Amino acid sequence: MPRIRSICSALVLALAIALSGASPAAADHHLTDGTSVNLIAFHSDKCADVISASTADGAEIAQYDCNDGLNQLWRMNDLGDGYVELTARHSDKCLDVTSASDSNGAKVIQWTCNGGANQQWQIQDAGNGQVQLIARHSDKCLDVPSSSTDNGARLQQWDCHTGDNQKWELNLVSNPALPGLFADPNIVVFDDTYYLYPTTDGFAGWSGTQYRAFSSTDLVNWTDHGVILDLATDVSWADNSAWAPGIAEKNGKYYFYFSGGLASGNTAKHLGVAVSDSPTGPFTDALGEPLVPAGTYSGQAIDPAVYTDDDGQSYLYWGNGQAQQVPLNEDMISFDPDQVAIYDPPGYNEGAFVVERDGTYYFMWSENDTRSEDYRVAYATGSSPTGPWSDRVGVILQKDLSQGIKGTGHHSVVQVPGTDDWYIAYHRFAIPDGDGTHRETMIDRLYFEPDGSIRPVVPTLEGIAPI
Ligand code: FUB
């Protein structure tokens, strides 16, 4: 498994301190509640693993060669008093000392989380980027018996000592960026804080009604700000299909572009705009009617995205089957229909997104159907926010079956302010068992080549280090 080990030593101490609440400065820093990690035994380089990916209470924890399994991934739930619960991502069960035993040699298992002290762990700095994990009820350490290096060696608790078989490295895993099912992420930065605005996924026919906002200062730890717009209650002309939003800021107001339809009657999608004084809403429908009614142009009125040029002029892009592009008026909630231009490169399906770098504009889009594992991202370049656009340059994001990654698309791109560092947010089929309506939001690095072309993105299971 390609691991992002380099970040461990730099971050592990911050994690230990932040989670113990000992240092507010460190708590500001990086890893806190909800971070997922592999627990890697220092002496063996093997991962703490729920045997056979069992979801049963009582399943033992062993060390095993690290792989990409969710049964080797542990979510840290900060209990706020210097202790964490560690829940296995595949089962949502807690790392637990069996029967709350305080004996040396007591087995470590997974068990339904119940708040017991035998499910609470203190993360203690052990130096050199490693930690000890100390059970609250017994004050004993998570330990690999006899310093075994064997696959399958069952973990136990034992009196804490300085042996390497009680030292653990925490390997941060940041993908999926958001817990749960979210697709079509629109990533933006406002005032040095990053925001993600996705489709809430997991509904047959993409019939969800709610939009949520998430924020982060490091692109790894995301705060859920809850529902910012609900078509079922907040919009008169749509009550269904809250799809793929885009957002822009102007003069201290935030404009949220979204699609929706009616569950009954005409199910065509309209495109609307809502406004708020805050990037985390709540948002109010700005017009009381669609900005782009269904049927105005060929294809569905979906997948809005906004690019704002250096001169402050914002442009709206949207469309399925073909893309429309138009300068927005100063009010951000209207445009001149005579200025709408159609762009329909070969392969274009939906999910248009535009960025600029060094005077070159990049028009990117998604190809194929979101239900296909071949959903992917391609691009062209131009000399202005509305082109003219080059021929399709090529694909920059696609499935990677060697990692089980499928259906990578409907992306957006953000530049870290003041740097040439770029990140891409996109969705893929959820792992495991995802499909075109069960998708997860990922963030990976995006690089430009010296000639200005976009290097194909390597989609990762691990994700990124905090910025
Ligand atoms: O999430 C609903 C739809 O699926 C989006 O509008 C499309 O871009 C596709 O990802």
Side-chain angles (χ1 to χ4, degrees):
M1 178 177 70
R3 288 191 238 123
I4 40 180
R5 296 290 285 276
S6 56
I7 65 169
C8 288
S9 50
L11 294 177
V12 70
L13 185 57
L15 173 62
I17 296 170
L19 287 171
S20 71
S23 161
D28 287 341
H29 186 39
H30 282 308
L31 304 173
T32 54
D33 195 28
T35 300
S36 291
V37 294
N38 300 120
L39 303 174
I40 305 169
F42 182 59
H43 74 293
S44 64
D45 216 25
K46 295 191 193 284
C47 277
D49 173 300
V50 180
I51 289 289
S52 305
S54 168
T55 55
D57 278 340
E60 293 179 326
I61 314 300
Q63 68 173 2
Y64 208 85
D65 290 334
C66 297
N67 57 45
D68 297 319
L70 292 177
N71 61 320
Q72 293 189 352
L73 203 50
W74 301 88
R75 192 193 309 279
M76 304 210 152
N77 302 318
D78 187 3
L79 299 174
D81 55 359
Y83 288 86
V84 295
E85 284 177 340
L86 290 160
T87 52
R89 287 278 300 273
H90 75 298
S91 64
D92 236 13
K93 299 205 163 165
C94 270
L95 190 73
D96 174 299
V97 178
T98 190
S99 306
S101 167
D102 56 11
S103 303
N104 276 337
K107 288 268 186 328
V108 176
I109 59 174
Q110 70 172 3
W111 196 270
T112 303
C113 299
N114 56 26
N118 61 322
Q119 294 186 346
Q120 299 182 26
W121 300 86
Q122 186 178 46
I123 301 171
Q124 188 68 45
D125 179 34
N128 299 318
Q130 291 126 28
V131 297
Q132 289 181 312
L133 293 161
I134 304 170
R136 185 172 201 162
H137 72 295
S138 63
D139 240 10
K140 295 187 192 286
C141 274
L142 184 67
D143 175 292
V144 181
S146 308
S147 296
S148 169
T149 54
D150 293 344
N151 274 334
R154 281 7 183 207
L155 304 192
Q156 62 178 7
Q157 69 174 3
W158 198 270
D159 288 332
C160 296
H161 54 67
T162 55
D164 287 348
N165 61 323
Q166 291 190 352
K167 292 179 182 163
W168 299 87
E169 292 184 343
L170 307 182
N171 180 56
L172 172 73
V173 177
S174 71
N175 270 340
L178 304 178
L181 299 174
F182 294 98
D184 312 315
N186 185 209
I187 193 167
V188 290
V189 57
F190 297 132
D191 294 332
D192 289 337
T193 298
Y194 299 86
Y195 295 88
L196 273 172
Y197 300 90
T199 299
T200 306
D201 218 18
F203 301 94
W206 308 282
S207 57
T209 68
Q210 297 182 334
Y211 291 105
R212 305 179 85 85
F214 299 83
S215 72
S216 174
T217 53
D218 63 11
L219 292 177
V220 168
N221 292 287
W222 291 90
T223 300
D224 183 352
H225 294 279
V227 176
I228 57 167
L229 184 73
D230 188 339
L231 300 189
T233 52
D234 304 337
V235 175
S236 60
W237 46 267
D239 60 12
N240 191 267
S241 308
W243 293 1
I247 193 164
E249 183 270 341
K250 186 151 209 158
N251 298 329
K253 287 201 180 298
Y254 297 86
Y255 298 90
F256 185 77
Y257 303 84
F258 62 98
S259 295
L262 290 167
S264 58
N266 183 354
T267 57
K269 308 297 175 282
H270 311 281
L271 193 159
V273 56
V275 64
S276 175
D277 292 331
S278 163
T280 55
F283 283 84
T284 305
D285 182 14
L287 298 170
E289 61 184 5
L291 172 62
V292 182
T296 310
Y297 303 94
S298 173
Q300 299 202 77
I302 64 170
D303 295 3
V306 177
Y307 167 74
T308 301
D309 211 1
D310 286 346
D311 62 3
Q313 174 64 56
S314 296
Y315 299 81
L316 179 66
Y317 308 83
W318 77 95
N320 166 281
Q322 66 177 27
Q324 284 74 228
Q325 50 187 18
V326 69
L328 281 162
N329 288 338
E330 188 65 19
D331 63 9
M332 299 292 278
I333 59 171
S334 65
F335 58 78
D336 177 356
D338 291 342
Q339 293 197 50
V340 173
I342 309 298
Y343 179 48
D344 190 12
Y348 178 91
N349 187 31
E350 58 197 11
F353 195 81
V354 171
V355 296
E356 180 271 343
R357 178 180 178 270
D358 287 348
T360 298
Y361 296 80
Y362 296 81
F363 190 112
M364 300 172 258
W365 62 84
S366 290
E367 301 188 341
N368 301 317
D369 189 285
T370 194
R371 290 164 291 191
S372 162
E373 70 175 48
D374 293 318
Y375 200 52
R376 64 189 183 195
V377 176
Y379 80 106
T381 58
S383 54
S384 87
T386 51
W389 302 108
S390 69
D391 289 344
R392 175 183 181 276
V393 179
V395 171
I396 55 163
L397 175 67
Q398 60 187 321
K399 67 183 177 184
D400 179 355
L401 296 182
S402 71
Q403 300 188 80
I405 294 175
K406 299 176 182 173
T408 48
H410 199 123
H411 77 303
S412 54
V413 170
V414 71
Q415 180 180 18
V416 178
T419 76
D420 194 25
D421 294 342
W422 297 78
Y423 290 83
I424 181 168
Y426 60 95
H427 71 238
R428 67 166 192 222
F429 289 1
I431 295 177
D433 303 329
D435 57 26
T437 53
H438 297 82
R439 300 165 293 178
E440 296 175 314
T441 286
M442 308 291 121
I443 298 178
D444 278 306
R445 291 298 301 266
L446 179 138
Y447 296 96
F448 290 88
E449 300 288 7
D451 67 1
S453 60
I454 300 177
R455 185 188 305 172
V457 171
V458 177
T460 71
L461 294 166
E462 292 80 14
I464 57 170
I467 60 171

